[in-house]
């Protein structure tokens, strides 16, 4: 399908804003993303009048973008790539079995003609009370007690914070700001009618499958990154080393459950994630050599939610969070990313993210708690994780 010259000359920010406005107005879902280390931004639109939730987003093999919540009993969506625009080279592709409908024509006209207001930034107010801090400190204290009582070894309590704008946030422009600020993060902007608008810059791969190679990572342990710090001089405490080792063990236990013995393990290494440092171990499996051709689907079901975002062992940690966290994480700490797209699947944990509404947005962050956690430090950790977005958003 050819793309009109008019779309090509539109600023990318405007094409993104108009695609989301189209989804809201005409019904449809939109996903925009930039994978780590890539320049090109991808945008897809699913024209379904009512997007249906799916149980197994990878099973259909349909190219699209998966959007899954933290709590697997809530709805997961696959935004199908009815229409795909590569915003790097302005190539438009439609799904081969999708007949170009009047909706496609309407979208393309919409993208060409509608002008979004020129970039002007909002004044942002952050609402946070002493009560919020006290509540989180209490949550960490009860997490440590539960660990001391032997209920589990690690748990990842989280919290949210609201920010208010005086005028609607320019999401297209802020998405582009995130891509520039965090070249090694997975940057995403998703609109699903039932879930609203979510934007994020996550450092954490959940699973990827490409050229018959399966990958996953164990990412945990957090400290602030000061510009210019040499990674070889970074030191980690025993608590942080153990906390990350539990995530590695969780992944290896998942491999064991399916009797997969041959995997490569590299790390743990210190990595930079925007304004933060983490410890990361990488796992790699050759799916042909091990005869596990559906490893992506199988591991996705076993891994989520990993002990980087929930706890170890999984069940008692999840029960604890459901009882004590007192809010719904929704899509925070869920997973998202392109599936069966350009012959690869890359799903990331939805961290460093925000849910955007008309005049406010909600940011989320959690912190891994072990027996040695100090509540005040865990609070600070959630603050700096939220700053990954708050330092950039205008
Ligand atoms: C839970 C978050 O991050 C996760 C928890 C980490 C930790 O506890 O140190 C580090 C990286 C992520 O796996 C978050 O960003 O909200």
């Amino acid at each position: 399908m050819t793309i009109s010259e008019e779309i090509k000359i539109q600023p990318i920010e405007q094409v993104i804003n108009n695609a989301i406005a189209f989804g809201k107005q005409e019904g449809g879902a939109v996903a925009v993303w930039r994978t780590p280390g890539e320049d090109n931004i991808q945008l897809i639109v699913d024209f379904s009048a009512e997007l249906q939730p799916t149980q197994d987003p990878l099973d259909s093999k349909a190219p699209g973008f998966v959007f899954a919540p933290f709590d697997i009993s809530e709805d997961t969506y696959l935004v199908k790539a009815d229409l795909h625009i590569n915003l790097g080279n302005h190539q438009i592709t439609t799904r081969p079995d999708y007949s170009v409908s009047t909706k496609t024509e309407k979208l393309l006209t919409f993208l060409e003609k509608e002008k979004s207001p020129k970039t002007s930034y909002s004044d942002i107010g952050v609402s946070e009370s002493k009560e919020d801090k006290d509540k989180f400190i209490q949550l960490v204290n009860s997490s440590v007690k539960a660990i001391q009582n032997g209920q589990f070894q690690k748990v990842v309590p989280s919290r949210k914070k609201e920010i208010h704008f005086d005028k609607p946030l320019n999401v297209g422009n802020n998405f582009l700001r995130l891509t520039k600020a965090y070249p090694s993060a997975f940057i995403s902007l998703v609109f699903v009618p039932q879930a609203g608008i979510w934007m994020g810059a996550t450092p954490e791969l959940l699973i990827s499958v490409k050229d018959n190679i399966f990958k996953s990572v164990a990412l945990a342990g957090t400290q602030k990154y000061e510009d210019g710090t040499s990674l070889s001089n970074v030191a980690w405490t025993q608590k942080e080393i153990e906390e990350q080792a539990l995530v590695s063990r969780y992944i290896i236990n998942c491999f064991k459950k399916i009797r997969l013995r041959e995997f490569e393990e590299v790390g743990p290494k210190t990595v930079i994630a925007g304004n933060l440092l983490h410890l990361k171990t990488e796992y790699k499996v050759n799916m042909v050599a091990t005869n596990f051709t559906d490893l992506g689907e199988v591991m996705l079901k076993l891994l989520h939610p990993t002990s980087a975002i929930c706890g170890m062992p999984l069940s008692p940690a999840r029960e604890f969070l459901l009882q004590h966290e007192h809010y719904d994480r929704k899509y925070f700490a869920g997973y998202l990313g392109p599936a069966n797209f350009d012959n690869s699947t890359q799903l990331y944990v939805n961290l460093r993210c925000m849910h955007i509404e008309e005049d406010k947005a909600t940011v989320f962050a959690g912190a891994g708690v072990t027996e040695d956690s100090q509540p005040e430090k865990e609070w600070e950790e959630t603050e700096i994780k939220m700053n990954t977005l708050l330092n950039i958003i205008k």
Side-chain angles (χ1 to χ4, degrees), residues 144 147-148 238-239 242 369-375 378:
V144 173
I147 295 170
Q148 286 165 346
Q238 192 61 25
K239 182 252 170 190
E242 275 172 15
V369 169
T370 62
E371 197 165 8
D372 302 320
S373 280
Q374 296 168 23
E378 303 299 358

Side-chain angles (χ1 to χ4, degrees), residues 156 204 219-222 243 278 308 332 351-352 365-368 381 385:
V156 190
E204 186 163 337
L219 190 85
T222 303
E243 184 188 339
H278 297 302
F332 161 63
L351 301 174
R352 324 290 146 86
E381 183 171 317
K385 281 174 173 162

Side-chain angles (χ1 to χ4, degrees), residues 154-159 202-204 218-223 236 239-240 243-244 247 276-279 306-310 329 332-333 349-353 364-369 378 381-382 385-386 388:
K154 175 184 174 178
V155 70
V156 190
S158 71
R159 65 186 183 93
T202 176
E204 186 163 337
L219 190 85
T222 303
Q223 51 179 298
W236 294 93
K239 182 252 170 190
E240 289 156 339
E243 184 188 339
Q244 194 267 346
V247 184
L276 302 173
L277 295 171
H278 297 302
L279 278 169
T306 72
S307 46
I309 48 152
C310 188
R329 290 186 179 192
F332 161 63
V349 185
N350 195 10
L351 301 174
R352 324 290 146 86
C353 64
F364 304 83
V369 169
E378 303 299 358
E381 183 171 317
T382 55
K385 281 174 173 162
M386 288 173 172
T388 301

Side-chain angles (χ1 to χ4, degrees), residues 29-31 44-46 51 63-66 77-81 190-192:
V30 180
I44 63 171
V45 181
D46 182 325
L51 193 64
F65 188 97
V66 177
Y77 294 96
L78 175 68
V79 178
K80 286 185 301 327
V190 183
F191 169 69
V192 167

